Amino acid sequence: MAPGDATAASSRVDRPATAARGGRRTAAVLVTLGAVAIAAATGSGFVLMLATQVLVLWCFGLSYQVLFGRTGMLSFGHAVNFGLSALMTAHAVRALAASPGVPLYELLPLAGALTGLACGVVLGFPVSRRSGIAFAMVTLGLGELVAACFLMFPGFFGGEAGVTLRRTAVGSLLGVDYGQPRAQFVLTATWVLAVLAFVGWMGRTPFGMAARAVRENPDRIQYLGLRTATVRWVACIVASTLAGVAGALSALAYEIVTVDAVSLHTSANVLLMTVIGGLQSVFGPLVGAVFLTVMQSVVSEFTRAWLFYYGVVFVVLMLVAPDGVLGLLRRDASRPPAPRTIVGGLAFAAAVIVFVESAYQLSLGEPARLPGWSALRGDALAAVTIAAGLAVAAGVARWIRGGEAR
């Protein structure tokens, strides 16, 4: 076969796969738009609050995906851009509240974007000179430094109490009352969808391709004449700007900015939810954001062990599907698991839940708010704990034996 024939054949093979990916992406966008429209039209106050939180986290996760998923830069201080942008947005609202005749509310996320841009330019330049573990450690130290500033200079950063704002104090360009949760949700959704469109477009630009090349083989890219440090710096600027939008939306939604916004806890959350959802898709952070929100706001109402479950899900997912939930779904779409595997996984999950809740009740004396759980007392509770623990141990042993056999 001639080289030209081989190229044409390869193009014909790749075309259906590309079309399939495009179809899945379009379907995902349509489903997302439909969910946003339904939530805006029919959601109660609590649902709108949760949906707004999911959107803010999704926007934050998209910014982290640009940095880690596309460029391969693991940051433990990404919350710095998020928190500082939220803080400057809060100060902007307080300043505009003194001039009620200036209707700029819909444009306030630009204040966060500009703050994030400045953070990316100033802070991103020195940290992007390094990559790998050195970059991660520098961002960790930078995050702790900024968090310390929040407590050392309470006059500007707010200290432990944080900086509060009142979003209704700023006039609206459209005459909308943003004291209503539905209006704030629609504004948040508009900005997040704009960020989503930008990230999707950026991935197809020469810079997006260069960022992927730097992630995959930085030495070869350097040999070809492309400065990898410059690509990393630009990636920091873009990611910081998008994190700034998320920070501004967070400040407007919650009307308070505390030291937690720049803490290591927030940086860890964006890392975990992005990896849980999947690094290679713009909808991966959405899956992670939904999971984190459900754990924080729903599961935590029933059990104090929700953080334990959060960690267990992350560890198991990384062992079973390092590409995240979306990567697992794509893999299983072509090779679905056997019914026996599904039943075994559900049984193992049930055993873990029974063991953890029983152990918590034994150690703390506070029964979980689950149906029928308070009836377990004394020897019955101890027996259930032991039986569930043995079931979990048997499941782990079986999984280890299966891994060794493969």
Side-chain angles (χ1 to χ4, degrees):
M1 180 183 290
D5 296 337
T7 303
S10 175
S11 177
R12 286 193 297 271
V13 171
D14 292 343
R15 196 175 296 123
T18 303
R21 286 194 298 268
R24 288 195 297 267
R25 191 179 298 112
T26 302
V29 171
L30 292 177
V31 170
T32 302
L33 292 175
V36 169
I38 292 173
T42 64
S44 62
F46 179 70
V47 171
L48 289 171
M49 180 192 70
L50 291 183
T52 302
Q53 181 177 347
V54 167
L55 289 175
V56 171
L57 291 175
W58 186 18
C59 186
F60 192 24
L62 285 171
S63 70
Y64 195 76
Q65 190 202 39
V66 171
L67 196 65
F68 184 36
R70 296 178 185 248
T71 320
M73 301 166 66
L74 175 62
S75 172
F76 292 126
H78 197 54
V80 169
N81 311 302
F82 177 86
L84 289 179
S85 299
L87 176 70
M88 296 308 297
T89 302
H91 283 303
V93 170
R94 292 164 69 97
L96 289 173
S99 305
V102 184
L104 294 175
Y105 187 84
E106 288 83 359
L107 301 180
L108 280 173
L110 291 177
L114 291 175
T115 304
L117 176 65
C119 290
V121 172
V122 176
L123 302 179
F125 180 79
V127 301
S128 61
R129 301 302 96 183
R130 294 291 181 266
S131 62
I133 295 177
F135 175 83
M137 293 300 100
V138 171
T139 56
L140 175 62
L142 185 62
E144 292 302 304
L145 186 150
V146 174
C149 289
F150 266 69
L151 302 177
M152 292 171 60
F153 306 103
F156 181 76
F157 293 101
E160 293 183 355
V163 177
T164 58
L165 61 136
R166 189 165 58 91
R167 63 174 182 250
T168 55
V170 181
S172 166
L173 282 170
L174 305 176
V176 178
D177 178 16
Y178 285 101
Q180 301 297 321
R182 182 167 283 104
Q184 182 61 37
F185 169 75
V186 171
L187 178 66
T188 303
T190 302
W191 275 96
V192 173
L193 291 176
V195 169
L196 173 65
F198 173 80
V199 172
W201 167 81
M202 189 195 67
R204 298 187 296 271
T205 62
F207 167 73
M209 297 177 185
R212 289 180 181 274
V214 168
R215 181 195 67 191
E216 298 296 334
N217 198 332
D219 294 333
R220 184 173 182 181
I221 294 303
Q222 188 83 24
Y223 176 77
L224 294 175
L226 190 64
R227 296 189 61 184
T228 56
T230 302
V231 175
R232 291 195 297 266
W233 184 30
V234 175
C236 284
I237 293 173
V238 173
S240 299
T241 303
L242 299 181
V245 175
L249 293 174
S250 174
L252 297 176
Y254 303 124
E255 298 183 290
I256 187 172
V257 181
T258 65
V259 65
D260 186 62
V262 297
S263 67
L264 177 61
H265 176 260
T266 302
S267 293
N269 270 341
V270 70
L271 167 63
L272 293 178
M273 74 180 187
T274 305
V275 173
I276 285 174
L279 289 169
Q280 304 307 316
S281 172
V282 293
F283 293 97
L286 174 60
V287 174
V290 171
F291 176 74
L292 177 58
T293 301
V294 169
M295 296 298 292
Q296 285 182 331
S297 303
V298 179
V299 177
S300 63
E301 293 295 318
F302 295 95
T303 173
R304 294 177 61 180
W306 71 271
L307 271 174
F308 180 86
Y309 296 131
Y310 187 33
V312 166
V313 169
F314 178 76
V315 171
V316 172
L317 192 62
M318 290 302 98
L319 292 173
V320 176
D323 292 334
V325 172
L326 294 185
L328 178 64
L329 293 177
R330 281 195 297 267
R331 186 182 68 188
D332 288 347
S334 58
R335 191 178 54 190
R340 180 180 177 182
T341 303
I342 296 175
V343 172
L346 293 176
F348 179 76
V352 169
I353 292 174
V354 171
F355 174 72
V356 171
E357 296 302 329
S358 302
Y360 258 72
Q361 188 170 343
L362 278 173
S363 61
L364 301 178
E366 298 178 3
R369 283 173 283 184
L370 298 175
W373 214 267
S374 58
L376 292 175
R377 301 285 181 181
D379 294 339
L381 180 62
V384 168
T385 305
I386 294 172
L390 292 175
V392 171
V396 172
R398 182 175 180 181
W399 178 77
I400 293 175
R401 286 198 304 269
E404 291 177 348
R406 288 191 295 271

